[in-house]
Amino acid sequence: MMNVANEILSGLVNHPKSLSNLQCLHYDHEGSLIFEKIVLQDEYYVARTERSILKSNADEIIVKTVDNRNKRLRIVELGAGTASKTSILLAAAVKHQGSAIDYFPIDISSSALTEAQSSLTCLVPDVCVIPQIKNYVTDEFILPNFDGCTLVIYIGSSIGNFSREAATRILSHVHKQLKAGDALLLGVDMCQDPAVLLPAYNDKNGVTSAFHLNVLLHLNREFGYNFDLDQFRYKVIWNKHHSRVEKHVESLCSQQVKCINQSEEHIIYFNQGETIHIEDSQKFTNEQITMLLNNAAFQIEHIWSDEHKWVNIIIARVLPK
Ligand code: AVJ
């Protein structure tokens, strides 16, 4: 397996250039802070819509998850970030159970997890927060033995940032760590009008642009590159064929970027107008989601949505193995 530095370099010397399989590059300290601003932008309906579905249905989601009343519940979250939406579900779980609940947020950003822990302590004091700083794509989560039901939360449509193969791998990896009767709560953004989708990824305040350009800054800070941010701009495309919003950064001129890493030097050549494919946000149909979950041996039990059917929140169960 290649290390991250080599994966970056090979993504940049390839044609077309792409870093879209390296999600971890977005969420350094700066990137996590910018992301928290994205979710506040008017155009970014995804977070707002998902939050309102969770608010209206939190009790029912918890009841449906723990279909057996004597069972205790614990909650794991992949890519928890600052857990601001999850607090709604945690409060419902504490109320339903009538006692404290264990919550295991997993994220690669330690600063986001620190923030999650301190805000939950105030918002839902009956939650015992046990954070794990990990890359959920590659690492296993660690859970003590438990005879109740484990609910893994994976919301925000983060699954859409991965290729179909990688998404299947993530879900299978989660499935492997669960037992029969455990559940997955998946939040996904559905296929819809590009007139709604494109502004969501190109807000007028330029926050989403800054989020993606930060990947180049991250490469400068951590991997020895010398990208000049004045010579690049953010560009968003609706790829109808693949049903995904593609985020690129485009070179404004023909130029060379250097990477000086452990005495080795590499030069990356850019033509004017050439782009680096930075991230995808896949938008799903019901059939695609069903197939994705079934391929990872999960069975859909219930779906909640908003009035426009923009976002789906799905409970899927681990079947007896
Ligand atoms: C991480 C999936 C919530 O793709 O919608 C938002 C990341 N990137 N704007 C998404 C993101 C640019 C976001 N999620």
Side-chain angles (χ1 to χ4, degrees), residues 34 123 153 178 185 188-189 207 311:
I34 305 174
L123 283 174
I153 299 187
L178 296 177
L185 188 74
V188 287
D189 193 18
V207 181
V311 174

Side-chain angles (χ1 to χ4, degrees), residues 164-221:
R164 185 150 22 101
E165 298 72 41
T168 307
R169 238 180 293 131
I170 291 169
L171 296 183
S172 303
H173 186 59
V174 170
H175 186 273
K176 204 179 76 195
Q177 298 172 80
L178 296 177
K179 57 183 186 355
D182 288 344
L184 171 70
L185 188 74
L186 186 68
V188 287
D189 193 18
M190 308 307 282
C191 220
Q192 55 201 284
D193 190 347
V196 175
L197 288 170
L198 286 172
Y201 292 94
N202 203 3
D203 61 275
K204 60 182 179 314
N205 293 330
V207 181
T208 306
S209 164
F211 178 69
H212 293 292
L213 289 168
N214 176 61
V215 171
L216 303 187
L217 292 174
H218 184 169
L219 298 187
N220 289 354
R221 285 188 294 262

Side-chain angles (χ1 to χ4, degrees), residues 24-57:
C24 55
L25 295 178
H26 285 87
Y27 297 96
D28 62 344
H29 178 64
E30 285 75 7
S32 295
L33 288 179
I34 305 174
F35 183 70
E36 288 304 311
K37 293 196 188 124
I38 288 182
V39 301
L40 302 176
Q41 302 307 304
D42 288 343
E43 297 93 333
Y44 194 66
Y45 66 89
V46 185
R48 184 175 62 242
T49 307
E50 190 172 64
R51 177 182 294 274
S52 87
I53 301 171
L54 291 175
K55 266 201 175 153
S56 319
N57 301 288

Side-chain angles (χ1 to χ4, degrees), residues 23 27 35 38 44 46 155-161 200-201 208 211-212 234 247 279-281 283:
Q23 263 302 300
Y27 297 96
F35 183 70
I38 288 182
Y44 194 66
V46 185
I155 53 178
S157 205
S158 299
I159 190 85
N161 293 145
Y201 292 94
T208 306
F211 178 69
H212 293 292
Y234 173 61
K247 279 66 69 71
E279 185 185 70
D280 286 322
S281 294
K283 304 301 163 184

Side-chain angles (χ1 to χ4, degrees), residues 50-67 73 75 88-89 92-93 96 151 153 155 183-186 301-304 313-315 317:
E50 190 172 64
R51 177 182 294 274
S52 87
I53 301 171
L54 291 175
K55 266 201 175 153
S56 319
N57 301 288
D59 293 331
E60 199 193 352
I61 290 172
I62 296 298
V63 169
K64 285 246 191 313
T65 302
V66 201
D67 53 358
L73 181 66
I75 293 181
I88 303 165
L89 288 172
H96 178 77
L151 172 66
I153 299 187
I155 53 178
L184 171 70
L185 188 74
L186 186 68
E301 271 187 13
H302 201 88
I303 302 178
W304 293 267
I313 303 231
I314 301 163
I315 283 272
R317 192 73 62 182

